[in-house]
């Protein structure tokens, strides 16, 4: 059996000769023991000066050596000792023996790089640890002689000279071979293929009704409380009862005349003027000024209960007055069904073909691309309300989502009937969530239209079709332009309403559910500036100048503080949930019919 005798001398012990003899014993002072070291192990050192390796057949030497002791082919190291597993994690301390093997592992060109570290300054510490280390299973101590069992046998057959290592090269620790470039490319292509949309993203005929659940079907949902048909309302007994007129009735439109509703709040507050819009981060496409609000508030309004009964309770809406039985209630035993109720109708191929003909005429006669985006929001509204209903019903099976019309007509500010020029306000949430404990939250939904005119997108690759699919990442924030809308809805729904829920839903990227808290101080400031707009411009019949409220003494300081607070509120939003796209309940195709976003793909 070949035996290695190794002598290592450090700066501080240059006169102490140390070696491992044929009996496997090591002398007492200045010695680092070279036991079995796996082929991927490095023991680093900076104090090595000289190394001598001898065997029964010859001697090999290298002088000086600063970091490398010797390179041995990894396949020539043989041992069954447990040292192979644990050597890199042990620290062996002995009297007169170097305190530690460094713990750095690397494989380099299938050679085992053997190093050692000698530090004579640890002799005192090593004496104290003498008895503790005697329990190690593969070593025994006899006075000053350390006997190392299971010394590995190292053969020198076909020993190759070590390759040169750069002087300043960095030795990596615990290094594992990385994935080859070809494998990385395959994984990248596979990921791109997996993320590639499974639908055609360009076409000429967008389907604004894509998988939409209509409002007349939502009204029959077990957890949804609908309003009565407007033609059945014969009399209202209070101003606040005008909220019983549905939002798709002509009575609801009539109530907007001369009233500052949520759609006109932001313009009347000056938020769409250039200076305020810049602070609030409102894009230029929405900076339409305040003239729409100015003209609305100049119109005559319904102010008295007598006038409302005389005009609004005359019917004239038509339409089906019956509820459609299209839902199957899912009891609590259906734990694996993700929705509160099962939607039964499916869209047929014949219906899709009919829709295609109507949509072709609609797109041909359309004068503005914005009509597509507005139509998408209206058609998908009930589907987004259902998203909120399904989510909150998981924790509260007895909650109700209620349909409402225009709320707030009974507020004190609206009961000043002696003044025909006073400010009137009103708000129409998409729905109101009433929980089992009696608390209320207004519900507002925003459906982000996926269809964008191809001419709006700058791309080097031209694809056929007038429209493209573009879904921007959803942000867990409420745009500042919507803060007046949500605050006014909470105001008009009463003091019991302390928060609002906003659902921002997309066609392909799911939806996010957000919550914003009521801020009564901000609401007081909102009412102050709306009254100022009415008194300074509407009642005087003087159109407001650009950037009104922003400039002009002490009032401008107060207004700018109000704008900054609005910006802060828009960012103080609670993210309730990010709903995956597959968790949104939508209409399905009949017999597995594929429902594309573009009706071009429907073959007659």
């Amino acid at each position: 059996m070949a035996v290695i005798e190794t002598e290592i001398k450090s700066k501080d012990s240059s006169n102490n000769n140390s070696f491992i003899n044929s009996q496997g014993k090591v002398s007492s002072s200045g010695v680092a023991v070279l036991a079995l070291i796996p082929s991927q192990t490095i023991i680093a050192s900076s104090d090595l000066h000289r190394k001598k390796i001898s065997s029964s057949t010859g001697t090999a030497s290298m002088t000086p050596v600063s970091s490398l002791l010797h390179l041995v082919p990894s396949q020539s190291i043989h041992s069954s000792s447990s040292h192979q597993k644990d050597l890199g994690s042990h620290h062996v301390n002995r009297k007169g023996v170097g305190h530690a093997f460094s713990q750095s592992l690397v494989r380099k060109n299938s050679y085992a790089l053997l190093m050692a570290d000698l530090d004579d300054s640890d002799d005192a510490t090593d004496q104290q640890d003498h008895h503790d280390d005697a329990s190690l299973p593969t070593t025994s101590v006899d006075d000053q002689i350390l006997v190392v069992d299971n010394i590995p046998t190292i053969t020198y057959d076909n020993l190759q000279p070590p390759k040169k290592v750069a002087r300043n090269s960095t030795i990596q620790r615990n290094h594992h071979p990385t994935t080859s470039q070809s494998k990385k490319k395959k994984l990248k292509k596979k990921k791109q293929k997996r993320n590639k949309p499974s639908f055609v993203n360009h076409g000429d005929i967008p389907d604004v009704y894509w998988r939409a659940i209509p409002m007349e079907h939502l009204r029959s949902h077990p957890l949804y409380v609908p309003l009565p048909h407007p033609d059945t309302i014969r009399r209202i007994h209070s101003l606040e009862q005008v909220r019983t007129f549905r939002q798709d009735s002509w009575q609801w439109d009539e109530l907007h005349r001369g009233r500052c509703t949520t759609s006109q709040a932001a313009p009347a507050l000056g938020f769409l003027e250039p200076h305020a819009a810049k602070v609030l981060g409102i894009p230029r496409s929405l900076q339409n000024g305040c003239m729409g609000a100015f003209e609305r508030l100049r119109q005559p309004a319904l102010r008295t209960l007598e006038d409302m009964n005389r005009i609004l309770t005359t019917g004239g809406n038509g339409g089906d007055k019956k509820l459609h039985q299209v839902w199957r209630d899912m009891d609590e035993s259906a734990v694996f069904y993700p929705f509160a109720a099962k939607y039964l109708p499916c869209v047929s191929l014949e219906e899709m073909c009919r829709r295609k003909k109507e949509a072709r005429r609609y797109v041909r006669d359309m004068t503005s691309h914005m009509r597509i985006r507005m139509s998408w929001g209206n058609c998908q509204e009930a589907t987004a309300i259902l998203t909120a209903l399904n989510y909150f019903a998981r924790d509260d099976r007895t909650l109700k989502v209620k349909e409402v019309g225009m709320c707030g007509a009974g507020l004190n500010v609206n009961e000043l009937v002696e003044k025909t020029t006073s400010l009137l306000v009103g708000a129409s949430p998409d729905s109101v969530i009433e929980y089992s404990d009696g608390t209320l939250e207004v519900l507002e939904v925003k459906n982000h239209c996926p269809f964008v005119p191809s001419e709006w997108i700058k791309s080097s690759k031209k694809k056929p079709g007038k429209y493209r699919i573009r879904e921007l990442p959803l942000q867990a924030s409420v745009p500042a332009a919507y803060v007046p809308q949500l605050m006014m809805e909470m105001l008009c729904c009463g003091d019991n309403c302390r928060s609002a829920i906003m659902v921002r839903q997309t066609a392909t990227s799911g939806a996010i559910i957000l919550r914003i808290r009521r801020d009564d101080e901000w609401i007081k400031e909102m009412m102050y500036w709306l009254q100022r707009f009415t008194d300074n411009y509407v009642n005087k019949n003087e159109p407001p100048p650009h950037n009104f409220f922003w400039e002009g003494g002490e009032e401008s300081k107060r207004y700018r503080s109000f704008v900054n607070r609005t910006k802060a509120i828009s960012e103080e939003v609670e993210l309730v949930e990010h709903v995956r796209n597959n968790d949104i309940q939508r209409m399905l195709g009949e017999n597995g019919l594929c429902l594309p976003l573009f009706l071009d793909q429907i073959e007659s």
Side-chain angles (χ1 to χ4, degrees):
M1 178 180 66
V3 178
I4 299 177
E5 297 180 2
T6 306
E7 180 180 2
I8 306 172
K9 291 192 176 183
S10 69
K11 295 178 182 179
D12 299 324
S13 59
S14 58
N15 296 325
N16 296 328
N17 293 328
S18 307
F19 62 94
I20 303 174
N21 60 23
S22 60
Q23 283 75 31
K25 295 186 178 181
V26 185
S27 63
S28 60
S29 175
V31 177
V33 180
L34 300 183
L36 171 64
I37 299 180
S39 61
Q40 62 268 34
T41 303
I42 295 176
I43 300 180
S45 172
S46 60
D47 297 329
L48 302 180
H49 279 237
R50 187 166 60 87
K51 168 184 178 265
K52 182 174 71 174
I53 297 179
S54 64
S55 70
S56 59
T57 58
T59 301
S61 64
M62 296 175 62
T63 305
V65 176
S66 61
S67 60
L68 302 181
L69 287 183
H70 198 60
L71 289 175
V72 181
S74 58
Q75 64 269 23
S76 63
I77 300 178
H78 309 283
S79 175
S80 60
S81 171
S82 62
H83 287 282
Q84 259 184 325
K85 297 181 180 178
D86 301 327
L87 181 63
S89 61
H90 272 27
H91 283 257
V92 182
N93 293 317
R94 293 289 183 272
K95 180 180 179 180
V97 180
H99 75 283
F101 289 111
S102 181
Q103 193 180 8
S104 176
L105 308 178
V106 73
R107 175 175 298 172
K108 186 174 181 64
N109 300 326
S110 71
Y111 283 95
L113 184 60
L114 307 182
M115 297 182 182
D117 189 5
L118 181 63
D119 188 356
D120 292 333
S121 63
D122 287 339
D123 286 347
T125 304
D126 293 339
Q127 267 185 331
Q128 296 175 1
D129 296 337
H130 172 75
H131 297 289
D132 297 335
D133 293 333
S135 60
L136 289 176
T138 58
T139 61
S140 61
V141 180
D142 182 11
D143 294 331
Q144 297 182 356
I145 301 299
L146 173 66
V147 178
V148 183
D149 301 327
N150 297 327
I151 293 296
T153 302
I154 304 177
T155 62
Y156 284 82
D157 299 334
N158 301 321
L159 182 62
Q160 300 293 331
K163 293 185 178 180
K164 293 184 178 180
V165 180
R167 187 184 185 103
N168 297 326
S169 62
T170 302
I171 300 177
Q172 299 181 359
R173 296 177 179 267
N174 298 332
H175 176 75
H176 300 282
T178 58
T179 309
S180 64
Q181 293 296 328
S182 59
K183 191 172 182 180
K184 285 184 178 180
K185 290 181 180 179
K186 290 181 180 178
L187 291 174
K188 185 176 181 181
K189 289 181 179 179
K190 186 176 181 180
K191 185 177 181 181
Q192 291 175 348
K193 185 177 181 180
R194 183 171 62 251
N195 295 335
K196 186 178 180 180
S198 58
F199 51 85
V200 177
N201 63 350
H202 54 84
D204 294 325
I205 310 176
D207 186 8
V208 296
Y209 291 97
W210 178 76
R211 300 187 63 188
I213 295 176
M215 190 66 194
E216 54 267 25
H217 287 183
L218 178 63
R219 289 189 175 111
S220 64
H221 192 284
L223 298 182
Y224 195 81
V225 180
L227 290 174
H229 193 281
D231 290 353
T232 64
I233 301 174
R234 298 303 180 186
R235 186 171 184 80
I236 57 175
H237 301 282
S238 65
L239 292 176
E240 191 61 35
Q241 274 192 324
V242 297
R243 66 162 61 191
T244 58
F245 289 103
R246 294 176 177 177
Q247 297 185 26
D248 54 4
S249 65
W250 67 265
Q251 288 94 338
W252 182 77
D253 292 331
E254 184 66 24
L255 287 169
H256 282 72
R257 291 171 55 85
R259 193 178 299 266
C260 183
T261 58
T262 54
S263 61
Q264 305 303 324
L269 291 171
F271 287 177
L272 304 188
E273 300 299 313
H275 289 349
K278 183 178 181 180
V279 174
L280 296 173
I282 298 175
R284 291 186 179 181
S285 59
L286 299 180
Q287 297 178 21
N288 300 324
C290 65
M291 291 309 297
F294 176 77
E295 295 297 336
R296 163 79 70 81
L297 297 184
R298 291 176 62 203
Q299 297 175 355
L302 292 175
R303 293 178 177 269
T304 66
L305 183 61
E306 181 182 358
D307 289 342
M308 291 179 179
N309 273 309
R310 178 174 53 85
I311 295 176
L312 301 178
T313 59
T314 58
N317 286 277
D320 191 1
K321 299 179 183 179
K322 296 181 180 180
L323 294 178
H324 301 267
Q325 301 302 320
V326 295
W327 300 92
R328 180 186 298 166
D329 194 5
M330 307 301 293
D331 55 21
E332 295 183 1
S333 61
V335 293
F336 297 108
Y337 194 73
F339 308 122
K342 185 175 182 179
Y343 185 61
L344 302 178
C346 295
V347 62
S348 63
L349 179 60
E350 292 76 13
E351 169 64 21
M352 294 298 294
C353 293
R354 183 191 62 80
R355 189 186 299 177
K356 179 179 180 180
K357 293 180 181 179
E358 295 178 356
R360 182 181 284 114
R361 290 194 298 267
Y362 178 80
V363 173
R364 183 183 62 225
D365 300 336
M366 187 176 58
T367 57
S368 173
H369 293 301
M370 293 303 297
R371 291 182 61 184
I372 290 287
R373 304 178 70 81
M374 295 177 63
S375 297
W376 173 271
N378 293 332
C379 296
Q380 301 289 332
E381 180 176 306
T383 307
I385 294 174
L386 186 59
T387 299
L389 185 153
N390 284 324
Y391 175 76
F392 290 107
R394 296 176 186 174
D395 299 326
D396 190 349
R397 295 288 299 181
T398 60
L399 66 75
K400 297 295 181 182
V401 178
K402 295 185 176 182
E403 183 181 12
V404 292
M406 180 177 289
C407 306
L411 292 175
N412 292 334
V413 66
N414 291 334
E415 292 180 349
L416 300 175
V417 296
E418 67 276 5
K419 293 177 62 177
T420 59
T421 57
S422 63
L423 174 68
L424 291 176
V425 298
S428 303
D430 293 324
S431 288
V432 172
I433 305 175
E434 183 176 318
Y435 297 95
S436 56
D437 60 359
T439 58
L440 298 177
E441 283 188 309
V442 297
L443 175 61
E444 187 66 30
V445 300
K446 302 295 180 184
N447 285 282
H448 297 263
C449 180
F451 305 114
V452 178
S454 298
E455 59 194 41
W456 291 7
I457 301 178
K458 296 180 180 180
S459 176
S460 58
K461 296 181 179 180
K462 293 184 179 181
K463 294 185 178 180
K466 297 179 181 178
Y467 294 91
R468 300 280 296 277
I469 298 297
R470 183 179 68 178
E471 295 275 45
L472 300 177
L474 287 174
Q475 297 180 350
S477 63
V478 173
Y482 294 143
V483 172
Q485 177 182 10
L486 296 173
M487 290 294 179
M488 185 172 286
E489 288 175 355
M490 287 184 273
L491 169 68
C492 293
C493 285
D495 294 336
N496 193 32
C497 182
R498 306 306 302 172
S499 58
I501 294 295
M502 173 176 276
V503 177
R504 303 180 65 180
Q505 186 159 295
T506 66
T508 62
S509 302
I512 55 174
I513 301 176
L514 307 171
R515 176 179 283 117
I516 184 172
R517 302 292 178 178
R518 178 168 176 159
D519 190 325
D520 289 320
E521 291 298 323
W522 189 94
I523 291 175
K524 290 180 181 178
E525 280 293 290
M526 175 185 70
M527 296 302 296
Y528 172 81
W529 291 109
L530 290 177
Q531 188 65 57
R532 288 294 308 273
F533 181 82
T534 303
D535 295 339
N536 292 356
Y537 305 112
V538 177
N539 293 342
K540 295 179 180 179
N541 199 23
E542 295 180 1
H546 289 296
N547 297 312
F548 63 96
F549 295 154
W550 188 265
E551 300 172 353
E554 294 296 327
E555 286 289 307
S556 65
K557 293 183 180 178
R558 179 176 177 177
Y559 177 74
R560 294 180 187 184
S561 177
F562 174 61
V563 172
N564 291 329
R565 177 57 187 155
T566 305
K567 179 65 175 177
I569 289 175
S570 69
E571 298 171 350
E572 297 171 357
V573 177
E574 175 189 351
L575 174 61
V576 178
E577 183 66 24
H578 186 180
V579 183
R580 298 183 307 170
N581 202 50
N582 291 338
D583 293 335
I584 297 176
Q585 192 171 17
R586 291 187 169 104
M587 183 178 289
L588 301 176
E590 188 177 52
N591 298 323
L593 176 66
C594 179
L595 301 177
L597 282 163
F598 288 100
L599 294 171
D600 310 40
Q601 308 300 318
I602 298 297
E603 297 181 0
S604 303

